[in-house]
Amino acid sequence: IAGQVDQFLSQNGPFNSKDLIAVMVGLHDVQAQYNRLQNEPGVSRDVLIAGVQQAGNELGAQVVRLTNLGAKVVVSTIYSLSLSPFATGEELAHPGDGRATLLDQLTTEYNKALRLKLNEVADGGHSVGLIQSDELVLSMVRYPPNYVLNNVTEAACNVALPDCNQTTLVPLAIDSYGAYWLWADDTRLGAAGQSRVAGLAVNRVRTNPF
């Protein structure tokens, strides 16, 4: 993220008060820490938690930086990977090991560190609008009919992203083009979930005192 900001500034010059930046980062940070369980046998869960806390803090620092440079920012929490098909697979592969619980804890700690760092934004809500994708996706999983969903547990894509399209879905999702499925693949939201997150962002932009 820091590199992307540097590149933008070098190519486009400084931000101004009419520049709006959308930020949703962190799923890969959580996965990277979780994957250490396999890559670093014996690593403690406290170490993994410290890793996501650092990542959340670092993202928050970049949001503070952007606001200090004059931009307005809409930033989102990340949804819990414990709700994803990936977590279901990990639970089956490691029965009794609490893998979904760990994924939820890592996500929660990442979001907490991010939100804590956002307290350092000089102009508060006049510069940053927060959207809570974690709460949204949790609600979608718990109450699918409220969001016109009929599958919140499986991935709709039959091939890896970004090559998945309306013709490469699993058989049960083809008729609806995946419109009623929450997940595109094991960790990423499909069109229905993405559009709901986008709706949160648009609403925040309209209601925030920028």
Side-chain angles (χ1 to χ4, degrees), residues 19-131:
D19 288 323
L20 177 66
I21 300 169
V23 178
M24 186 177 182
V25 177
L27 290 175
H28 291 147
D29 294 292
V30 170
Q31 282 188 281
Q33 293 300 320
Y34 177 82
N35 289 341
R36 293 176 67 182
L37 288 175
Q38 177 177 340
N39 300 329
E40 303 174 36
V43 65
S44 74
R45 299 195 175 195
D46 288 341
V47 169
L48 306 185
I49 290 171
V52 296
Q53 289 172 333
Q54 179 181 345
N57 182 74
E58 289 177 356
L59 179 65
Q62 289 303 312
V63 174
V64 173
R65 176 191 179 196
L66 290 169
T67 61
N68 288 341
L69 291 169
K72 309 299 184 184
V73 182
V74 173
V75 59
S76 176
T77 57
I78 58 171
Y79 50 83
S80 178
L81 286 176
S82 67
L83 306 172
S84 68
F86 173 75
T88 301
E90 289 298 289
E91 282 285 291
L92 291 173
H94 307 279
D97 202 26
R99 293 302 182 95
T101 299
L102 175 61
L103 284 166
D104 187 58
Q105 187 175 15
L106 294 176
T107 305
T108 299
E109 292 299 327
Y110 177 91
N111 286 333
K112 285 170 59 177
L114 168 62
R115 298 183 67 165
L116 182 63
K117 192 65 176 180
L118 294 181
N119 289 328
E120 298 179 16
V121 173
D123 294 329
H126 293 285
S127 294
V128 169
L130 178 70
I131 63 173

